[in-house]
Amino acid sequence: MRTWIDVPADSFFPLENLPYGVFHQWGTHCCVRIGDFVVDLWALAHAGVLPLPWYLFEGDLTRFASEGPEAWRVTRERLTELLSADHPRLRDDVELRTNAVLPLEGVRLQMPVTVGDYTDFYSSREHATNVGAMFRPDAPLMPNWLHLPVAYHGRASSLVLSERDVIRPHGQTGAGAFGPTRSLDYELEVAAVIGPGNKMGEPIRIEDAEDHIFGLVLLNDWSARDIQSWEYQPLGPFLGKNFATSISPWVVPLAALEPWRCPGPPQEPVLTYLTQTGSTTFDINLEATINGTPVTRTNFRYLYWSLRQQIAHHTVNGCPLRPGDLLASGTVSGPTPESRGCLLELTRRGSEPLTLADGSLRRFLEDGDRVTLTGWAQGDGYRVGFGEVTGRIRPAR
Ligand code: MN
């Protein structure tokens, strides 16, 4: 699709994408991104060219997310029209264009929604098998794994936006052992931003689940493996995970990913409330680099449990999801060695170090390391991407 905005051919952000975000310049406003520009929804609404309710003036997308698919569709259609090459309204209004279409480099991005609760699943069969094999070589997958999407409740207070440095955490790593973690890791994940929630006691049916997804972001679930392995029994991850979790700033709507809808891996039989048919996931390339060296190349479609299964399971007991809640996929690993989504798997708990481009070895992350996750769907001559979520490790304090 053609737009009057100058978008490089290899951009993650063509007219087909239009992901939502929040930026600060002289105020804090909601926006969409196209090429290397942000389009200020407040400015468009103020000028009367985009019919938007008052809550979009808040500088937070949570209320808009809660409106649901029809509101998202109407807004996306109008924005696509306003930015199309043959549409003059915004293109030829120099004053409005100057106010509403701003170079990305001049603005500061902020958290797109207010995240109330954050859940992290464990939905990659390969990841669960690889990690399980290190601790239980005879039976890597726990008996429940093929019957339900396993998850833990994370912590929203330590969610941060891309670019924020991560301080190496201290913690207990054994009886009487305390200090900065010596096995700091990344986890390459994708997270769903919940739009409309559900009332307490009213589960979301699997066939309705995608209507509750405002869009997807990339997520790095920073993990301290030595702290995690000492503390996790019997109640699961705690301080080895909740010191920092980074997300990418752009919420990519499922509507933008529709051309890449595809079936997931074959599944063992599941209970009726988890039974799904058809194309339940998306073909999204995912990549992680350490200091610029690619270390993981995987794909969202490898995940065993789908987004809709995660939502159906999360709410089957009546648990209410709320707008802005974040549901992360778990580490996205795949069938090939290069598709392993964290260092724990890639280096087999540090026993087989990776060699980076500068010749240095990595068992786990070192101070000064920069981890960057990217993701994109590849089309014919264009692509729809997430941008990146990046963070640098700072020494323990
Ligand atoms: Mn995780």
Side-chain angles (χ1 to χ4, degrees):
M1 273 189 283
R2 284 180 56 242
T3 169
W4 49 266
I5 305 255
D6 185 20
V7 180
D10 62 347
S11 175
F12 280 153
F13 303 100
L15 184 56
E16 289 87 345
N17 192 347
L18 300 185
Y20 292 100
V22 171
F23 74 98
H24 181 84
Q25 195 178 45
W26 47 272
T28 304
H29 294 169
C30 299
C31 63
V32 291
R33 177 167 175 180
I34 182 164
D36 293 323
F37 296 90
V38 299
V39 181
D40 183 347
L41 302 188
W42 184 93
L44 295 183
H46 194 68
V49 302
L50 187 66
L52 288 173
W54 62 270
Y55 53 73
L56 253 197
F57 290 64
E58 284 175 343
D60 183 321
L61 285 158
T62 313
R63 284 295 299 272
F64 178 59
S66 76
E67 290 289 296
E70 183 55 19
W72 309 336
R73 189 188 62 75
V74 168
T75 303
R76 183 173 166 80
E77 261 180 27
R78 178 60 175 159
L79 286 167
T80 302
E81 183 181 54
L82 286 167
L83 295 166
S84 293
D86 55 2
H87 198 83
R89 178 64 187 89
L90 182 56
R91 185 192 68 196
D92 297 346
D93 186 334
V94 177
E95 192 185 342
L96 178 56
R97 218 176 58 199
T98 309
N99 286 334
V101 183
L102 309 168
L104 181 68
E105 60 195 13
V107 307
R108 197 170 74 238
L109 299 175
Q110 305 212 336
M111 286 292 276
V113 290
T114 304
V115 183
D117 281 299
Y118 156 51
T119 303
D120 194 18
F121 283 88
Y122 192 55
S123 288
S124 159
R125 184 173 186 166
E126 290 84 1
H127 175 68
T129 304
N130 292 340
V131 173
M134 293 174 204
F135 301 93
R136 298 173 304 274
D138 301 336
L141 278 188
M142 298 294 272
N144 60 1
W145 202 91
L146 291 168
H147 298 274
L148 57 83
V150 168
Y152 68 94
H153 281 306
R155 201 168 165 81
S157 67
S158 49
L159 282 169
V160 295
L161 200 63
S162 177
E163 310 276 358
R164 176 88 164 254
D165 289 351
V166 173
I167 299 164
R168 180 178 297 274
H170 283 80
Q172 278 199 34
T173 56
F178 182 84
T181 175
R182 296 168 65 179
S183 45
L184 190 53
D185 202 353
Y186 68 91
E187 290 190 341
L188 190 174
E189 305 194 19
V190 173
V193 178
I194 295 298
N198 58 305
K199 289 205 184 84
M200 192 161 163
E202 296 181 10
I204 297 172
R205 297 180 311 164
I206 191 161
E207 55 268 37
D208 301 330
E210 284 188 6
D211 290 345
H212 293 262
I213 300 175
F214 178 51
L216 303 181
V217 295
L218 301 175
L219 181 143
N220 185 344
D221 179 23
W222 302 96
S223 300
R225 300 303 185 187
D226 44 4
I227 298 172
Q228 184 186 354
S229 64
W230 171 238
E231 75 178 1
Y232 86 102
Q233 286 174 320
L235 289 185
F238 187 30
L239 304 183
K241 296 278 193 177
N242 69 6
F243 56 94
T245 306
S246 306
I247 65 167
S248 56
W250 301 108
V251 185
V252 178
L254 294 192
L257 295 166
E258 220 30 71
W260 293 277
R261 191 178 273 284
C262 65
Q267 287 190 337
E268 302 294 321
V270 288
L271 288 168
T272 306
Y273 79 92
L274 290 172
T275 299
Q276 58 184 6
T277 52
S279 294
T280 56
T281 188
F282 300 91
D283 179 2
I284 303 167
N285 301 295
L286 299 167
E287 191 175 289
T289 63
I290 300 176
N291 304 335
T293 303
V295 286
T296 299
R297 284 198 182 94
T298 185
N299 195 295
F300 186 67
R301 68 188 299 176
Y302 295 148
L303 282 179
Y304 187 86
W305 296 104
S306 68
L307 293 165
R308 50 179 86 170
Q309 286 177 318
Q310 292 171 349
I311 290 172
H313 184 65
H314 204 313
T315 61
V316 73
N317 65 345
C319 170
L321 296 179
R322 292 179 297 193
D325 282 0
L326 212 57
L327 269 52
S329 60
T331 307
V332 185
S333 294
T336 62
E338 66 167 15
S339 62
R340 292 177 289 196
C342 61
L343 285 171
L344 179 69
E345 284 173 84
L346 284 164
T347 69
R348 295 185 188 279
R349 250 178 141 178
S351 64
E352 298 170 16
L354 295 178
T355 308
L356 301 186
D358 66 359
S360 62
L361 299 179
R362 285 298 177 285
R363 297 170 195 280
F364 288 101
L365 297 172
E366 294 184 3
D367 292 344
D369 281 353
R370 174 175 289 284
V371 178
T372 303
L373 312 182
T374 54
W376 71 96
Q378 185 65 50
D380 188 7
Y382 76 109
R383 54 187 183 172
V384 164
F386 288 79
E388 60 182 39
V389 53
T390 187
R392 197 171 51 96
I393 307 300
R394 288 173 55 188
R397 291 207 278 241

